[in-house]
Amino acid sequence: MGTLRDEQAQVSTAALVILATIAVAGVLFVTKSVMVPFVLATFIASMVAPIVDIQELRFHWPHSVAVLVALLVVLVVVVLFALVMAYAGQQVVSTAGRYMENTDELLAQLNAKLQYWLPHVNFADFGEKFAGFLNEQQKRFIDGLQGYVPQVLSHTFGTTVSLFTMISLVTIFVIFLLAGRDPRAIRQGVYAEIDQKIRSYIATKVLLSALTGVLVWITLVTLGLQLAAVFALLAFLLNFIPSIGSIIATVLPIPIAVAQFGGDIWRLLAVVAIPG
């Protein structure tokens, strides 16, 4: 009889856990427009909280001034990051034409080698047909794009509004989280352990990501790959995405390396293998 009751209690507990999980997942899905900015704000507040603590405990500045300085530091970092991303985009655009020329030369060399290895195959005719196919697809793409321009503009406007809303919510949450923080309070127990682990994780992740970006930059510069700084920045950012981010950062330079180095197989392998 006791065993039956124990089994019933276990089944009831498991059912309650499943229902609670479903309920929590549903609440998170419904409130994602608020929870995502809140989680991001918590991440930012944990990063800049030591700046507030140092100002108050060491320099004895007022709490409001310390919070304002921390927010200004965040703003400066965001602006610098935006400038770096704009520079990276400008570099990609300015070198796009050169890489297209290199790609055309590489395809011409490949065509010549195929013609040498397989002289009985008419690659020239195939190339003309393939070029005609690309031109036709390009025309279709342009015609379709002209029809989607109003939708693209509407979507861009909506994305801008959503981004502004998220930035505003994140800023408000960060202000409240920092304003309600008391650096003189002695934290003990689970809360202190959680706070310490979050700080340790963030500091370690930022340090390792920065080290990854620097090593990727040194490697690509040594190999002579152009846009090395852009790929180093992407390696730093993508390293925050577990597992898949590092894989994406490793394979991103492949098209540029193929266009720049052509048939230099050892450099191509080094561009992937060493950062990998």
Side-chain angles (χ1 to χ4, degrees):
M1 190 68 176
T3 304
L4 180 60
R5 290 180 178 177
D6 292 340
E7 291 179 354
Q8 291 177 345
Q10 293 176 358
V11 172
S12 300
T13 302
L16 289 175
V17 169
I18 294 173
L19 292 176
T21 303
I22 296 174
V24 170
V27 170
L28 291 176
F29 178 78
V30 173
T31 61
K32 63 181 179 180
S33 59
V34 176
M35 290 303 299
V36 171
F38 178 74
V39 172
L40 184 58
T42 304
F43 180 82
I44 295 175
S46 299
M47 292 182 65
V48 301
I51 300 177
V52 177
D53 295 348
I54 291 174
Q55 293 176 84
E56 291 195 56
L57 298 178
R58 181 171 298 182
F59 301 109
H60 305 288
W61 289 2
H63 184 66
S64 57
V65 176
V67 172
L68 179 61
V69 171
L71 292 176
L72 290 177
V73 170
V74 174
L75 179 62
V76 170
V77 171
V78 171
V79 171
L80 290 176
F81 176 74
L83 291 176
V84 171
M85 291 298 295
Y87 171 77
Q90 182 182 4
Q91 289 293 105
V92 172
V93 172
S94 63
T95 56
R98 187 191 317 162
Y99 288 120
M100 289 299 296
E101 295 176 359
N102 294 341
T103 303
D104 292 338
E105 294 178 1
L106 181 62
L107 291 175
Q109 295 175 5
L110 179 61
N111 184 38
K113 289 182 179 180
L114 291 175
Q115 193 69 53
Y116 175 77
W117 291 333
L118 301 171
H120 58 281
V121 180
N122 188 1
F123 289 102
D125 184 46
F126 173 77
E128 293 178 359
K129 293 181 179 179
F130 185 67
F133 172 76
L134 289 180
N135 290 332
E136 182 182 354
Q137 295 301 317
Q138 182 180 6
K139 185 177 181 303
R140 289 184 179 179
F141 175 76
I142 293 175
D143 293 340
L145 184 60
Q146 291 175 349
Y148 284 112
V149 166
Q151 298 181 20
V152 171
L153 293 177
S154 176
H155 180 71
T156 303
F157 178 76
T159 302
T160 304
V161 173
S162 300
L163 183 61
F164 178 76
T165 303
M166 174 173 284
I167 293 175
S168 302
L169 284 175
V170 170
T171 304
I172 293 172
F173 285 142
V174 169
I175 292 174
F176 274 99
L177 289 172
L178 293 178
R181 179 180 178 80
D182 184 6
R184 295 176 179 81
I186 301 177
R187 296 175 177 81
Q188 297 178 349
V190 177
Y191 180 81
E193 184 178 355
I194 291 174
D195 186 59
Q196 189 274 331
K197 287 185 179 297
I198 290 176
R199 289 194 185 189
S200 177
Y201 171 78
I202 293 174
T204 304
K205 195 67 176 176
V206 171
L207 180 62
L208 290 178
S209 299
L211 181 61
T212 300
V214 171
L215 292 177
V216 168
W217 177 76
I218 293 174
T219 301
L220 298 182
V221 168
T222 304
L223 293 173
L225 184 70
Q226 297 176 352
L227 301 179
V230 175
F231 293 120
L233 176 63
L234 292 175
F236 167 75
L237 297 175
L238 291 172
N239 197 56
F240 286 94
I241 303 176
S243 303
I244 190 66
S246 298
I247 298 175
I248 296 175
T250 302
V251 301
L252 275 179
I254 292 179
I256 302 298
V258 171
Q260 181 179 344
F261 300 141
D264 192 347
I265 188 64
W266 294 111
R267 273 194 178 186
L268 295 177
L269 290 176
V271 165
V272 178
I274 297 178

